[in-house]
Amino acid sequence: MSQLLLIPKQEVRKNKKTVHAGLPAWLPEAVAGSLAGISSYAFNFSSSERKVFLKRKPVLISEWAERHRVLEMSSIPGKWKNIFSPYLKGIMDAAGTNGIETVIICKTPQCGGSEASHNIVGYCVDRSPGPVMYVFPDEITARENAKDRIIPMIKASPRLREYLTNYENDMSSLRINFLHMPIYLGWSGSVSRLGNKPIRTLILDELDKYKDPKNEATSEALAEKRTTTWGSRKKIIKISTPTKAGSSKIWKALTEEAEARFDYYVKCPDCGFVQLMRFENITWEGKKPVIDEKDENIYERSIAEKILSHKLAYYACEFCGTLWSDEKRDMAVRHGEWKERTSGLELFAHINLYKPIKIGFQIPSWISRFVSLSEIVNVWFKYKISNATEDYKDFKNQYCAEVWEEIFEERNEDAILALCDDRPRGMVPGFDLEQKTSRVATLLATVDTQLHYFRYVIRAWGYGENAETWLVQEGIAKNIEQLDQILWQSDYMDNENRVYKVRAALVDAMGHPERSSEVINWALKNRQRVLLSQGVHSPANPVSYTPWEYFPNSTGSKIKIPGGIMLHRIDTTLFKGMLAHALKVNPADPGAFHLHENMKLQPNSPTGILDGYAKEMCAEVWNDEKHIWENPRKRPNHAFDCEYMQFALVWILNIKNIPRPEQKANGAHHVAPPVPTPSRNGTNLLAKLRR
């Protein structure tokens, strides 16, 4: 068989080619006869044909991003520059490496992790086409990201705009159609959005906030199933800030799923020593090597804000001891590299040698130019001063990119009763004698629903972030009428006869099915001051707000709630942890948890009125293996439930932001946070709840 010989020759007209060819022997005689004597043909390649025939040179994802990515909704708008987040360069290039199927990014907020995923998607659209899916925690977040980030990214890039169809319907918040591939938007908990689509590139953003559908596999597993048909050519990017130990999906992926885990090592600008940055090496001006325990709290309060406002924190090089400012830290990061934890090899040296399929990266805040070292120290001091679970959680998750663990000791009744002061039952604490102002911002009540009675707690709460709290009264109400009398029709006074009223109550709506109807009707009659709650283990948020239009009765039938009402689903792990921390605070320190006097039931009786309360406060213990609160001996725990609900109610009503009386006198404007009330259709904005 003869070959077709092509000899291109450039003509005068641009893009026109002249081809001289001999006729192949395999042509039919009739066709060959008709072509006899014709040896040259002139034709043009279209732009699309030229693209097909042109073999583009390989390019790394980080290089592609600098050429074609344009940032709009950013603190540094304009063309993407790897120099601002140099640690993302290795992550992006590793994601584009053949053989790497899953990239896990355990990060702190605003370090650029999500932007790196957008760069990977942009590269795939241009260089490695195939269906893409983003999965976000909820529908609103998915639509907002499509509108505010993904679509603007495409329109801002001249290269990516070439692939648009220019049909208006092809650019929506649920699906973006290109000439050659689609991008889908999905969210956790929605089986329909996560199913029935073959996906080549999957982005799982904020994985730890995902909600899982009922009676199905997890949202993460459902989404990953979509990539099966693409085999080794698939790309799965998992991104999230970690949360609690034992329940954090991204931490589990990093520590158990990843075959190789990488940390970012920086290079000292002065001595050139390559090192892994650690929080312990962050220091500040005026740091005391030894702090007298008596003066420690005063010192921490005075220095914390000063460090933040004057940028007094530095990082000390492990080798030469040179102190790095934020700017010098950025220089050290700029010349850094990723190293594998076990082998110690550089990123691509490890990949080429061991050929892992799933790799993980951890990004703490101190390597990000967007987070000042002084901000990190300030947050650490905030936790040291308050000893609060929320502050500890914030520091570990948002700055260290690590999970936080509850560490509790079993409580004993004597330790609980040691928190008693000399106030009689029902009395509110008096004025601060030094400041000559009231110590009490408000009175709150919580109610635990039982079959034959209601257990209640009334507490006074102080002002500010580390507010003290005082037990005013706890006890049993046999029915709703008694609750009304105790909570709304009674006055509570301090030692100078100043009158205080209970402001709001949080009641357990799921305490007993046979009383749910009674509790809901009570809440409907007191919409402005009674909130319904349900305890939930490890939700995505401390409190989630669910419009409730129907509730099941004791027989399982659904009963309509007139006008609907809001159900507050509260994180039992978080708020019980806050209570456990408060119980350990010294009564003389900020944030102390006080009880009223443990008066004797009878003059000669050894039993005090708070003895039963103290036993119930010791019923639950922390299970470190399961990462849950348990009642192993199945003892009554009603007081413990009422007290942790107090912390939830303080969070819901934003009590810590109530100004002191002297602030009001100085003209400080304050709008008291309202008790949430749902609209007729059951919706309510979080902004209205917490303003």
Side-chain angles (χ1 to χ4, degrees):
M1 183 188 300
S2 62
Q3 294 182 340
L4 182 65
L5 180 64
L6 300 179
I7 310 173
K9 180 181 177 182
Q10 186 70 40
E11 296 286 343
V12 176
R13 185 176 176 181
K14 187 177 181 181
N15 294 331
K16 179 173 281 190
K17 306 289 182 181
T18 300
V19 177
H20 301 273
L23 297 178
W26 46 264
L27 280 177
E29 292 184 5
V31 177
S34 65
L35 295 176
I38 302 176
S39 61
S40 63
Y41 311 91
F43 61 93
N44 289 328
F45 285 118
S46 68
S47 60
S48 298
E49 289 170 332
R50 288 197 300 274
K51 282 186 178 180
V52 171
F53 292 139
L54 178 64
K55 184 177 181 180
R56 292 189 288 181
K57 294 181 179 179
V59 62
L60 298 173
I61 295 181
S62 61
E63 295 174 353
W64 182 94
E66 287 202 316
R67 295 179 190 176
H68 304 297
R69 179 77 197 280
V70 179
L71 296 171
E72 290 189 336
M73 194 174 175
S74 170
S75 60
I76 309 177
K79 296 197 71 172
W80 175 273
K81 298 292 184 183
N82 291 321
I83 194 173
F84 293 126
S85 302
Y87 46 86
L88 295 179
K89 184 177 183 296
I91 297 176
M92 292 187 290
D93 293 342
T97 302
N98 291 334
I100 299 295
E101 297 178 12
T102 302
V103 176
I104 300 156
I105 307 173
C106 180
K107 67 178 188 67
T108 52
Q110 304 302 318
C111 68
S114 295
E115 293 299 336
S117 72
H118 295 326
N119 290 342
I120 293 169
V121 169
Y123 174 88
C124 290
V125 171
D126 185 35
R127 292 281 184 146
S128 184
V132 172
M133 173 178 276
Y134 283 92
V135 180
F136 293 97
D138 54 69
E139 181 179 357
I140 293 176
T141 306
R143 291 183 182 274
E144 285 180 347
N145 272 271
K147 180 181 177 181
D148 298 336
R149 293 193 177 275
I150 301 171
I151 292 175
M153 170 191 76
I154 296 167
K155 290 183 176 180
S157 170
R159 175 57 61 87
L160 297 181
R161 282 201 306 268
E162 296 177 5
Y163 298 103
L164 293 175
T165 64
N166 295 323
Y167 291 115
E168 184 177 349
N169 292 338
D170 283 347
M171 189 76 72
S172 74
S173 60
L174 292 180
R175 175 172 174 155
I176 301 168
N177 284 332
F178 293 100
L179 292 169
H180 61 319
M181 58 171 281
I183 293 179
Y184 300 103
L185 279 299
W187 51 89
S188 67
S190 174
V191 178
S192 59
R193 292 303 304 172
L194 300 179
N196 301 322
K197 303 175 185 71
I199 301 299
R200 183 177 187 181
T201 303
L202 176 65
I203 310 295
L204 302 175
D205 203 357
E206 288 303 336
L207 184 61
D208 271 27
K209 296 181 180 179
Y210 282 13
K211 299 176 182 178
D212 295 326
K214 296 180 179 178
N215 304 320
E216 292 278 355
T218 64
S219 297
E220 179 184 2
L222 287 173
E224 289 192 62
K225 281 288 185 184
R226 303 302 104 209
T227 66
T228 301
T229 57
W230 285 91
S232 62
R233 294 181 294 161
K234 67 186 176 188
K235 298 292 180 185
I236 301 174
I237 314 297
K238 299 183 180 183
I239 311 169
S240 187
T241 300
T243 49
K244 295 188 211 104
S247 61
S248 174
K249 295 180 175 69
I250 196 68
W251 191 256
K252 184 177 180 180
L254 177 69
T255 57
E256 299 179 17
E257 184 180 341
E259 301 168 57
R261 289 165 286 278
F262 296 89
D263 297 302
Y264 196 77
Y265 283 70
V266 302
K267 187 176 182 180
C268 177
D270 294 303
C271 69
F273 181 70
V274 177
Q275 58 201 283
L276 178 64
M277 288 185 71
R278 306 176 191 277
F279 171 72
E280 292 77 12
N281 285 0
I282 299 178
T283 185
W284 56 90
E285 288 187 14
K287 182 177 182 180
K288 296 182 180 180
V290 177
I291 302 174
D292 182 47
E293 187 175 347
K294 182 179 178 181
D295 298 328
E296 182 174 0
N297 216 13
I298 299 174
Y299 165 74
E300 289 174 345
R301 288 176 180 276
S302 64
I303 195 68
E305 293 303 323
K306 185 178 179 181
I307 290 172
L308 181 62
S309 59
H310 295 286
K311 295 289 188 292
L312 299 180
Y314 300 91
Y315 189 87
C317 172
E318 288 186 14
F319 188 76
C320 68
T322 302
L323 298 182
W324 305 346
S325 61
D326 288 344
E327 293 74 18
K328 212 165 191 178
R329 179 271 313 267
D330 296 341
M331 292 174 60
V333 172
R334 199 171 300 156
H335 296 95
E337 62 182 4
W338 290 101
K339 289 187 177 184
E340 210 279 329
R341 288 180 184 174
T342 305
S343 69
L345 294 175
E346 183 271 335
L347 173 61
F348 290 100
H350 184 92
I351 290 175
N352 293 334
L353 180 61
Y354 293 98
K355 296 181 170 41
I357 295 175
K358 300 180 179 182
I359 59 176
F361 301 87
Q362 189 173 5
I363 308 177
S365 62
W366 40 81
I367 68 171
S368 171
R369 75 182 306 274
F370 302 106
V371 181
S372 169
L373 296 172
S374 300
E375 178 184 341
I376 299 168
V377 172
N378 179 263
V379 172
W380 178 76
F381 266 126
K382 183 179 179 182
Y383 162 62
K384 284 277 288 179
I385 294 168
S386 70
N387 199 33
T389 303
E390 242 184 315
D391 293 333
Y392 176 64
K393 175 183 176 182
D394 182 46
F395 175 69
K396 295 291 284 186
N397 294 166
Q398 310 289 319
Y399 291 88
C400 301
E402 298 174 0
V403 291
W404 64 282
E405 296 188 67
E406 298 277 17
I407 303 174
F408 301 116
E409 302 171 357
E410 285 197 39
R411 296 169 300 286
N412 63 72
E413 297 164 30
D414 290 339
I416 298 295
L417 294 175
L419 302 175
C420 293
D421 55 29
D422 57 359
R423 291 174 299 111
R425 182 176 186 265
M427 179 171 284
V428 179
F431 269 34
D432 186 319
L433 298 179
E434 293 183 4
Q435 301 294 330
K436 296 182 180 180
T437 58
S438 174
R439 291 185 288 173
V440 176
T442 190
L443 264 59
L444 300 178
T446 47
V447 181
D448 185 39
T449 305
Q450 298 299 312
L451 178 59
H452 300 295
Y453 61 89
F454 297 96
R455 185 65 183 273
Y456 71 89
V457 163
I458 299 173
R459 275 199 162 270
W461 286 87
Y463 295 95
E465 191 78 36
N466 304 309
E468 287 183 85
T469 178
W470 300 264
L471 177 65
V472 175
Q473 186 168 301
E474 60 85 31
I476 291 174
K478 294 181 179 179
N479 49 47
I480 291 293
E481 290 71 25
Q482 281 194 7
L483 269 182
D484 283 331
Q485 175 67 37
I486 294 167
L487 301 187
W488 318 127
Q489 298 167 26
S490 298
D491 293 336
Y492 297 92
M493 294 181 288
D494 62 16
N495 56 0
E496 295 188 11
N497 296 325
R498 299 181 185 88
V499 176
Y500 296 82
K501 289 280 191 180
V502 174
R503 172 178 171 177
L506 184 67
V507 58
D508 175 17
M510 304 297 190
H512 204 284
E514 294 185 18
R515 304 208 75 165
S516 294
S517 177
E518 185 181 8
V519 168
I520 291 171
N521 287 329
W522 184 53
L524 289 172
K525 292 177 182 178
N526 295 272
R527 282 185 181 272
Q528 298 302 315
R529 54 189 181 183
V530 174
L531 286 71
L532 298 177
S533 72
Q534 178 187 15
V536 183
H537 173 59
S538 296
N541 300 301
V543 178
S544 57
Y545 304 88
T546 304
W548 207 13
E549 297 184 1
Y550 297 89
F551 74 93
N553 63 9
S554 57
T555 64
S557 302
K558 287 187 176 181
I559 299 177
K560 185 173 178 61
I561 301 174
I565 198 165
M566 190 69 73
L567 178 66
H568 301 74
R569 295 164 59 87
I570 58 179
D571 183 350
T572 57
T573 305
L574 173 65
F575 292 115
K576 287 182 180 181
M578 293 173 68
L579 169 60
H581 277 294
L583 291 171
K584 295 190 295 183
V585 176
N586 188 297
D589 290 341
F593 187 91
H594 302 281
L595 308 181
H596 60 64
E597 183 184 4
N598 187 26
M599 296 180 291
K600 301 300 180 182
L601 290 174
Q602 299 293 335
N604 297 321
S605 171
T607 305
I609 60 174
L610 288 180
D611 286 4
Y613 168 93
K615 289 180 180 179
E616 293 180 7
M617 290 294 288
C618 299
E620 293 200 21
V621 295
W622 176 251
N623 187 318
D624 197 43
E625 293 183 0
K626 298 180 181 178
H627 291 93
I628 58 173
W629 285 92
E630 289 184 332
N631 188 350
R633 300 178 182 86
K634 306 301 178 186
R635 296 185 298 183
N637 62 345
H638 315 310
F640 193 77
D641 283 346
C642 286
E643 293 289 21
Y644 95 78
M645 289 166 61
Q646 285 276 336
F647 286 86
L649 187 54
V650 167
W651 194 95
I652 292 169
L653 300 181
N654 210 7
I655 297 300
K656 66 182 181 181
N657 286 332
I658 294 179
R660 293 180 179 274
E662 59 267 28
Q663 291 176 313
K664 290 182 179 180
N666 292 334
H669 178 68
H670 172 72
V671 178
V675 175
T677 304
S679 63
R680 292 287 297 180
N681 62 5
T683 59
N684 200 354
L685 296 177
L686 181 61
K688 291 182 179 179
L689 295 172
R690 306 257 356 259
R691 72 169 181 256

